[in-house]
Amino acid sequence: MGAYLLRRLLLVVPTLLGIILINFAVAQFAPGGPVEQMLAELKGQAGSTLGRLSGESQGELGPQRRSGNESGEGSGTRYRGARGLDPAVVAEIEKAFGFDKPWQDRLLDMLWGYARFDLGRSLFRDRPVSQLILEKLPVSISLGLWSTLIIYLVSIPLGIRKAVRDGSRFDLWTSAVVLVGYAIPGFLFAILLVVLFAGGSFLQWFPLRGLLSPDMQDAPFLERAADYAWHMVLPTLSLVIGGFATLTMLTKNAFLDEIHKQYTVTARAKGAGETRVLYGHVFRNAMLLIIAGFPATLIGILFTGALLVEIIFSLDGLGLLGFEAAMRRDYTLMFGTLYVFTLLGLIMQIVGDFTYTLVDPRIDFEARR
């Protein structure tokens, strides 16, 4: 197993490098980079100031307002938003964001920083990217971990029960319930929960903001834990409502496939009870497919599936952080979060492979034909 682990860890490096290079190349051709964003903000501020003074200055400026740099002539810059601005100001902004260097130098600096786990500083927040990620991580871990655990703890026993009672009334109505839940978007269910239980139009049983109440920061541990659980009820329900269907049906089909195989018939013929056949023989083989999807489920909920839920419940997590970075073209923050997401995803895939061997010791990744 050691040689297999070493090979998988060595493959992490080229995989990370390839993903970063592809996204870096795409970002170079995407319009509206960070310099354009800052120029637009500067022109917006200048425009609002001119708007307040337009009544006084319109007669004086007259036709001169469309001359010179305002028309973009002689500006000598490649940015569309730089028209009407002093080229020295544009050059200063480029230098502040590091865009005065060629793209090759910026790429090498970024890769060298990632090799040392230095993710750089956010272009617009002017704070270390690693610090921003660590601040938002507790929110995303809370949502992703509890949602994944609840989905697995409910879906696996439910799927096994449905497989044992395949075609029964229980199987039919539970299938209808989980498929209806799958059809409801998570953000829509979150809005419904807010309206019903968070002070919308009916009841106000649950809070709407953050992970802790403001007066609970210095409270005893048990009180803070209870307040934390109280805050997590609605966001977690919003994420798990659509996650039951896929895992439940996957578990049911996996167990149905194993239940009718020859080894289970042989076990019953030797006098083994249904419980022993189901959990002593079928469980290990059927659970391999379910374990294969665990890393993707956790990473998906942890970093991407919770964006709208974070917005609705005012939870400042990694999903919202990545979305804001993309909207503002904060390339340092974008690539830093991408690096962390990809690294964690690859590590979880390796953890999933090791879990295979725990469930079924017969699996040997070292074996080769």
Side-chain angles (χ1 to χ4, degrees):
M1 198 66 182
Y4 173 78
L5 174 61
L6 180 61
R7 288 197 301 269
R8 290 297 302 270
L9 291 176
L10 291 176
L11 283 174
V12 168
V13 177
T15 305
L16 276 174
L17 182 61
I19 293 174
I20 291 173
L21 289 177
I22 291 173
N23 285 272
F24 185 86
V26 171
Q28 300 307 305
F29 297 100
V35 177
E36 288 275 11
Q37 295 281 331
M38 181 58 69
L39 294 175
E41 292 183 7
L42 290 176
K43 295 193 71 174
Q45 295 173 1
S48 61
T49 303
L50 287 175
R52 291 193 300 267
L53 301 175
S54 60
E56 302 176 4
S57 61
Q58 186 174 5
E60 298 178 5
L61 292 176
Q64 298 178 3
R65 297 181 62 186
R66 297 188 56 87
S67 63
N69 284 338
E70 183 64 23
S71 61
E73 298 176 1
S75 60
T77 180
R78 63 182 181 274
Y79 302 108
R80 291 178 298 175
R83 292 180 297 177
L85 294 177
D86 188 351
V89 175
V90 178
E92 191 68 25
I93 295 174
E94 286 184 322
K95 184 178 180 180
F97 286 158
F99 280 80
D100 57 329
K101 302 177 182 178
W103 66 268
Q104 301 93 327
D105 294 344
R106 288 188 282 117
L107 176 60
L108 292 176
D109 290 342
M110 183 180 68
L111 294 177
W112 172 240
Y114 288 172
R116 297 177 288 115
F117 287 94
D118 179 10
L119 305 181
R121 298 181 68 87
S122 171
L123 299 180
F124 289 94
R125 299 185 182 221
D126 195 27
R127 295 177 58 192
V129 172
S130 57
Q131 182 180 347
L132 289 171
I133 292 176
L134 289 176
E135 285 183 2
K136 314 301 181 184
L137 198 57
V139 175
S140 296
I141 288 179
S142 298
L143 289 173
L145 184 61
W146 294 121
S147 301
T148 305
L149 287 177
I150 291 174
I151 289 173
Y152 270 75
L153 290 176
V154 173
S155 297
I156 292 177
L158 180 60
I160 296 174
R161 186 67 173 172
K162 287 171 64 64
V164 173
R165 302 182 61 180
D166 182 41
S168 65
R169 185 175 298 178
F170 171 81
D171 181 35
L172 294 177
W173 73 260
T174 51
S175 296
V177 171
V178 296
L179 290 177
V180 168
Y182 181 73
I184 300 176
F187 74 92
L188 187 61
F189 188 67
I191 295 174
L192 178 63
L193 291 177
V194 170
V195 173
L196 294 178
F197 303 112
S201 302
F202 297 90
L203 304 173
Q204 192 170 3
W205 289 353
F206 298 95
L208 190 58
R209 289 180 173 274
L211 295 180
L212 285 175
S213 301
D215 56 343
M216 285 290 172
Q217 299 296 332
D218 299 323
F221 174 77
L222 291 179
E223 293 184 14
R224 284 190 288 113
D227 186 69
Y228 165 80
W230 185 41
H231 280 75
M232 287 299 299
V233 170
L234 296 187
T236 304
L237 285 177
S238 304
L239 288 177
V240 303
I241 187 64
F244 291 130
T246 303
L247 188 59
T248 299
M249 301 310 294
L250 178 62
T251 305
K252 175 190 173 182
N253 294 332
F255 272 79
L256 276 177
D257 184 54
E258 296 294 330
I259 284 173
H260 298 294
K261 287 186 176 180
Q262 185 62 42
Y263 72 91
T264 60
V265 177
T266 303
R268 291 191 186 97
K270 290 182 178 180
E274 284 298 319
T275 301
R276 183 174 179 181
V277 170
L278 189 63
Y279 292 100
H281 298 278
V282 174
F283 187 82
R284 280 186 174 181
N285 296 326
M287 284 298 293
L288 292 177
L289 288 175
I290 289 91
I291 291 174
F294 180 81
T297 302
L298 178 60
I299 295 298
I301 295 179
L302 189 63
F303 296 122
T304 60
L307 172 59
L308 294 177
V309 173
E310 288 180 7
I311 295 175
I312 293 171
F313 291 100
S314 301
L315 300 173
D316 194 6
L318 289 177
L320 185 59
L321 179 67
F323 175 76
E324 291 177 349
M327 290 296 98
R328 298 208 66 182
R329 302 296 195 274
D330 193 338
Y331 289 157
T332 308
L333 187 54
M334 285 171 55
F335 293 133
T337 53
L338 174 69
Y339 176 76
V340 173
F341 296 168
T342 307
L343 181 61
L344 288 177
L346 294 173
I347 292 175
M348 288 301 297
Q349 290 292 339
I350 298 175
V351 171
D353 288 347
F354 275 97
T355 313
Y356 276 128
T357 62
L358 296 178
V359 177
D360 191 348
R362 296 172 300 175
I363 295 177
D364 184 10
F365 290 105
E366 298 290 346
R368 293 289 185 271
R369 288 188 178 182

